Amino acid sequence: MFIDEIDYKTRMMAMLETPAEIERAYQLCEDVFVQYGLDRYLLTLNDYSLSVILNYLNVRTSIFLNRTEFERAWQPVLLFERYASGRMIPINMEGMHRDLKAVLMARQGRLSEACDVLREALELGCTSDVRQRLLYTLGSIETSMTSPDDKINTLCEALGEAEQEGNENHIAMCYRELSRMFSHLGQGATGLSLLQKAEQYYLINHKGHELMGTRMYMAMSYLAMYNTPKYTSQLGEDNMKRFYQQAKAYIGMVDVDKLPLESDRAFYYRTYGLIYVDIEAIEKALAFYRRVKAYQDIKDCEGYIQTIRNMQTQ
């Protein structure tokens, strides 16, 4: 009964979308493991039960990543590798494991190592849906590194495969990430058009969590364009003011109290603080990033605060 119950509940988690639903299903699985004992059961593994347990560990890693509990996320990652060592396991399951591990490494500042994990995973021969996810994650991590043109190539490959499969959710995700890259390249208008496409998809499909995240990205994109000198000469002062007004309008569409994850709320305060030049808001985000040891985000927020203080003293 144990393994069938875990299999059923883990499959349920794979079909759920909202963080609250996933949390409830996750707790059901936790209760079963507490009742039966994971280590005791693993003494008599067979291929079927192993695949169920490893799938559960991937879900557990994902939950901790969503909660930004990075230190706790290492436990299921290392357990996965311990139990999978020397065994034949489904390729897609291994691909998902490496994707999650890479995200965890990247969030702790180990960007180069994370990219290596993903490039190795792309050689596994995973099916197209997992391969798209690996490409998307690789491109997303590369956006924080050098050579922006190379990063776009990875994300364009992910987008091309998603379009070929007709996977609208992955297409929208790629639009969001590509928009960041075009912003880094100084092509804010192109990035904004991609965000508008993602916004329409999430609006039509009633994906409220993703919609609010996209609107925060749009607020940041309008702010970046407002602060880009080339647009002033091209479009004039009046249009620049409209960019700033649009940034305020889009962040105003997001209700911070309805954001399901603490990481989302941190991003909101970070964005709000930059738009309104509000150090107190950015410090709220910084406190969260310090607590979860998100090193790149810490560096960014500290830089924003120092820049604002320098401006205020001039």
Side-chain angles (χ1 to χ4, degrees), residues 230-298:
K230 77 170 185 178
Y231 288 113
T232 304
S233 58
Q234 292 176 358
L235 302 174
E237 289 290 341
D238 289 341
N239 281 317
M240 297 301 287
K241 290 177 182 177
R242 279 195 283 272
F243 287 154
Y244 183 59
Q245 293 303 318
Q246 285 288 80
K248 292 196 290 186
Y250 270 99
I251 199 63
M253 293 180 190
V254 179
D255 185 345
V256 66
D257 294 327
K258 291 184 178 179
L259 292 172
L261 301 174
E262 197 173 357
S263 56
D264 293 332
R265 294 191 287 275
F267 185 64
Y268 170 88
Y269 287 123
R270 175 179 180 164
T271 306
Y272 181 96
L274 287 171
I275 292 170
Y276 286 95
V277 196
D278 186 336
I279 288 179
E280 185 176 345
I282 299 173
E283 284 178 336
K284 288 182 181 180
L286 179 58
F288 168 76
Y289 295 135
R290 283 174 173 163
R291 179 161 56 79
V292 301
K293 300 178 181 177
Y295 300 117
Q296 186 59 49
D297 294 313
I298 292 170

Side-chain angles (χ1 to χ4, degrees), residues 14 51 54-63 65 76-77 80-81 89-104 117-118 120-122 124-135 137 170 173:
S51 68
L54 294 180
N55 187 37
Y56 170 77
L57 290 171
N58 275 345
V59 172
R60 188 172 182 169
T61 304
S62 181
I63 290 289
L65 281 171
V77 167
F80 184 106
E81 293 176 353
I89 65 171
I91 291 173
N92 279 354
M93 192 174 292
E94 176 68 25
M96 288 299 298
H97 164 73
R98 296 195 191 190
D99 181 84
L100 293 165
K101 181 179 181 179
V103 171
L104 178 56
V117 168
L118 290 163
E120 289 175 3
L122 286 167
L124 292 173
C126 297
T127 57
S128 60
D129 57 334
V130 177
R131 179 176 168 80
Q132 287 169 32
R133 177 164 177 162
L134 290 166
L135 284 168
T137 304
H170 282 182
M173 289 168 60

Side-chain angles (χ1 to χ4, degrees), residues 23-39:
E23 286 284 343
R24 284 196 294 271
Y26 171 76
Q27 191 56 53
L28 290 174
C29 286
E30 285 290 272
D31 291 343
V32 175
F33 274 119
V34 170
Q35 180 180 351
Y36 289 90
L38 175 60
D39 286 327

Side-chain angles (χ1 to χ4, degrees), residues 112-164:
S112 180
E113 293 174 77
C115 288
D116 289 341
V117 168
L118 290 163
R119 292 187 186 107
E120 289 175 3
L122 286 167
E123 301 298 320
L124 292 173
C126 297
T127 57
S128 60
D129 57 334
V130 177
R131 179 176 168 80
Q132 287 169 32
R133 177 164 177 162
L134 290 166
L135 284 168
Y136 170 79
T137 304
L138 177 59
S140 301
I141 293 172
E142 287 176 340
T143 60
S144 302
M145 302 172 72
T146 56
S147 304
D149 293 316
D150 294 337
K151 305 168 201 170
I152 282 186
N153 291 337
T154 305
L155 287 169
C156 284
E157 185 178 353
L159 176 60
E161 294 198 10
E163 289 176 333
Q164 189 173 10

